[in-house]
Amino acid sequence: MGKFLVEGQRSLNGSVRINGAKNSALKLMVAALLGKGSFRLENVPRITDVDTMAGVLRALGVDVSFDSSAMQLDVSSIDGHTPKELVKSMRASVQVMGPLLARLGSVEVARPGGCNIGSRPLDIHLAGFEQMGATIDIVGDMYVARAPRLRGADITFRYPSVGATENIMMAATMAEGETIIRNAAREPEIVDIQAFLNGMGADIRGAGTPIIRIKGVRELGATDFSVIPDRIEAGTYLLAFLITGGSGRLENVIPEHIAPLLELVSAMGAKVVTQERTITIESPTKLKPFQVSTRPYPGFPTDLQPQMVAVATQAVGRSELEEAVFDRRFGYTQELCKLGADVTVNRSSVAIDGPTRLTGASLVAGDLRGGAALVLAALAAEGQSVIHGVAHVDRGYESMEERLESLGAKITRIEE
Ligand code: UD1
């Protein structure tokens, strides 16, 4: 695993172009398993999670290639198997369940264990498949799902799970009759996958609202598509400007997708101006503290929670943040404290007293967004920090060090 060396206390300024959304691209890739023919996916980020998913698709017989701006997928017959190790290494791989059940009538995936941000069970996905007529067995450390023919069903989720919404949407595209998902997740990535599947010939309505209706069709073809911008990457760079007292511009963003973040940083004193596809931010001389709780979309995203806590260390006064989506997502705060941050964790919430003068230290990233928070904090800290475990950051951020450097940061990658 590589590490980053960061010389902090340099304010970031300039313009950064946001890449396609990781959490959309990964799902569009698996959705292609439902179709046949050639797909061209534009705006796919070059991150290691995308490489991992490409490995999963290749093992299933899909031809995956990249050119300078796009990914090409050629899907004919699906005849391989899901590689256990790759599936285990990336939670998003459970999304192959829906498409493979629909297309092959059976699928085996490794049961996810606990992960670095919480227990992450699959009960909502599995209950949905069962309502559609699937049987699910646990064999060793695998889930084995079988459904010779999936039937449409009226399914009410106990919680608006993003992954379960996508999995059931995909399974339902070729089921017999209509499927209704109630209390569905409303994230922009769900709207993206609906547009993609409909481009392949599916009949889905309602994505972006709590009720999604899917009418089963006989077969799906291929389509070309451009992935929406990554709202979490956008939020991370926005907060990089803010934590360093800089000012800058995000290009290729959809400001409405991070409305709760923009409201919050405006209330903290930042000047934010949005246009159709850009956001500019100017940092105030003094950051005000905040209170916020993470929520499913359109609430404040859990994937920006750690970065927000990093920024809170520079606000004047006590900030409070509740984590209401995942049950264990504060591991990175121990590392922030090594820089001198004053953070108190209390089960599902955290209080941050600021401003603290952070000083460089040796840190270990343990997960993707926690790792991004450590990078932000190191950018604000006095002196040199070393961040180990950069592979976690590479899962979701394309060339983060190069892009931060182009904004004026002093950051270098050392391969180990
Ligand atoms: C997706 C995103 C992730 C983001 C999360 C919430 C991808 C690849 N990942 O993850 O970055 O943080 O949405 O916005 O898109 N739950 C259950 N049972 C289930 C499913 C989920 O209890 O069957 C719980 C989870 O443990 C968690 C909460 O629901 O506490 C949210 O999970 P979910 O919305 O499913 O997130 P993911 O799809 O895993």
Side-chain angles (χ1 to χ4, degrees), residues 25-26 32 67 69 91 107-108 119 123 134 168 178-179 181 190 204 209 213 254 274 288 324 334 373 378 382 389:
L26 294 174
D67 61 32
S69 69
R91 159 89 184 184
V107 58
E108 292 184 14
S119 51
D123 59 301
I168 300 301
E178 187 180 39
T179 300
I181 308 174
I190 310 272
I204 311 177
T209 79
R213 293 169 194 273
I254 300 176
T274 62
K288 292 182 200 144
Q334 286 184 3
E382 193 181 327

Side-chain angles (χ1 to χ4, degrees), residues 22-24 26-27 49 90-92 94-95 117-126 158-166 185 187 189 231-232 295-297 301-303 324-327 329 368-369 395:
K22 161 175 110 56
N23 287 351
S24 183
L26 294 174
K27 317 308 172 60
D49 266 10
M90 184 175 64
R91 159 89 184 184
V94 303
Q95 303 302 142
I117 63 170
S119 51
R120 304 185 88 170
L122 282 183
D123 59 301
I124 305 171
H125 303 237
L126 302 182
R158 69 168 172 81
Y159 181 89
S161 154
V162 173
T165 302
E166 295 163 336
E187 270 67 3
E189 292 75 20
R231 62 200 166 95
I232 306 303
R295 290 278 183 267
Y297 192 86
T302 174
D303 286 351
V325 176
F326 287 105
D327 60 7
R329 203 173 191 176
L368 166 58
R369 306 301 172 186
R395 285 187 39 218

Side-chain angles (χ1 to χ4, degrees), residues 117 294 305 321-333 343-351:
I117 63 170
T294 63
Q305 178 260 103
L321 195 149
E322 185 201 10
E323 173 55 65
V325 176
F326 287 105
D327 60 7
R328 214 174 54 218
R329 203 173 191 176
F330 291 126
Y332 68 90
T333 57
V343 182
T344 316
V345 178
N346 186 1
R347 273 199 212 142
S348 62
S349 65
V350 68

